[in-house]
Amino acid sequence: MRADRLLTLLLLLQNRGRMTAPQLAAELEVSVRTVYRDVEALGASGVPVRTERGPQGGFRLVEGYRTRLTGLTDAEAGSLVLAGLPGPAGELGLGAVLASAQLKVEAALPGGLAEQARRVRERFHLDAPAWFRDADPVPHLAAVARAVWERRVLRTRYARWRGEVRREVRPLGLVLKGGIWYLIALADDAVRTYRVSRFQEVEETGEEFLRPAGFDLAAYWTETSRRLEAALRQDTARLRLSPRGRKLLPMQFGAAGARALDRAGPPDADGWVEVELPVESEAVATGDLLCLGVEAEVLGPPGLRRAVAEAVTVLADRYEQDRKFPRNSQPGTC
């Protein structure tokens, strides 16, 4: 372990130039005292490390010195696919491995390319989770990821909507969608999708399995997502939207709302437009459409219009004797 740390220390000084002991300690996740001992060990091994004192001081390599000890391990090479996702890489237990791999790649690049790579990293950051939603707790993610990588059978207890189920699964891959981790796995001779946060127990059996020949994780996910959306959105709502409602629609309904607006008719004299929006079941659609408040009117189907009208009537009756808001207050949205 110390040899790995010394190499990381050397690559940090080579890639970033002068660094202070506290900076190195933070990168290596060790104490400042350990940094001083490691720097001394590097010097004793022949690496020309210079110590500069004062407010602008720190450690640096002699000008022109470069190491060629930049070979990637198997784990480091595999982690590079997550180079733009440091958060998810950490959840998978690959944070330190990814950091080491990135240092080695930078060290192997010519000076100009290395500087360009550093500028990109300083200026662009990808944050996968959606806004205003806590990430799912995924205590079993590292074990699941290990089983995916090593092709090991898992014995699991999984919480479904209809109750818990115990299954042996053969993990084929992991997908991160909107900050939520999903496991794609073989179970009962069928490929199934599991939300990783719903695993209550995960036990590694030690049994190895063969992946299905030709299985394409990305293609499977794309097709499954398409089928799920088609199955959920089996009806179409006709709406009138105010100018503000046109802004709210894609915020509330995402890509489906944006597509509906693209196909909208011309606005009337008051700026309202009519759109056709794919929706889920009547019960779900009623709640979703109420989030648009007074900025939308449901024109059809008749059953959905009646359901929204009934829900509005119930709300009006509930608040009839408790008017706390002035008449000129603006209604909120979900």
Side-chain angles (χ1 to χ4, degrees), residues 95-237:
V97 175
L98 176 60
S100 177
Q102 289 175 319
L103 281 172
K104 290 182 179 181
V105 169
E106 285 184 19
L109 291 173
L113 291 179
E115 179 58 29
Q116 183 177 355
R118 282 193 290 273
R119 285 200 302 270
V120 170
R121 187 176 63 248
E122 291 169 354
R123 290 162 173 78
F124 296 96
H125 175 68
L126 176 62
D127 185 10
W131 281 101
F132 312 124
R133 183 180 67 201
D134 293 336
D136 277 359
V138 282
H140 301 296
L141 179 61
V144 170
R146 186 164 55 249
V148 169
W149 189 255
E150 298 177 355
R151 303 192 308 276
R152 301 288 182 180
V153 177
L154 289 176
R155 189 174 294 117
T156 68
R157 180 166 63 90
Y158 186 75
R160 301 184 302 180
W161 295 114
R162 300 187 299 274
E164 293 185 350
V165 61
R166 293 182 180 272
R167 277 202 181 108
E168 283 195 353
V169 302
R170 289 158 173 76
L172 301 176
L174 284 163
V175 174
L176 180 62
K177 171 73 170 179
I180 299 173
W181 285 100
Y182 295 92
L183 171 68
I184 314 304
L186 268 173
D188 299 331
D189 297 322
V191 180
R192 303 173 185 268
T193 301
Y194 298 91
R195 188 162 171 166
V196 175
S197 62
R198 292 182 185 161
F199 282 114
Q200 307 300 300
E201 294 177 8
V202 169
E203 179 185 352
E204 300 182 30
T205 65
E207 177 187 348
E208 189 172 346
F209 69 92
L210 292 176
R211 288 176 62 85
F215 176 75
D216 186 323
L217 178 64
Y220 168 83
W221 182 258
T222 299
E223 177 61 19
T224 300
S225 301
R226 185 195 63 78
R227 288 202 310 267
L228 177 61
E229 183 173 1
L232 288 176
R233 301 185 185 277
Q234 294 183 341
D235 207 346
T236 301

Side-chain angles (χ1 to χ4, degrees), residues 5-27:
R5 192 174 71 242
L6 290 177
L7 176 58
T8 301
L9 172 58
L10 174 55
L11 293 175
L12 283 168
L13 294 176
Q14 177 173 305
N15 293 340
R16 304 185 188 178
R18 182 187 296 108
M19 295 185 69
T20 66
Q23 288 172 335
L24 288 168
E27 289 285 347

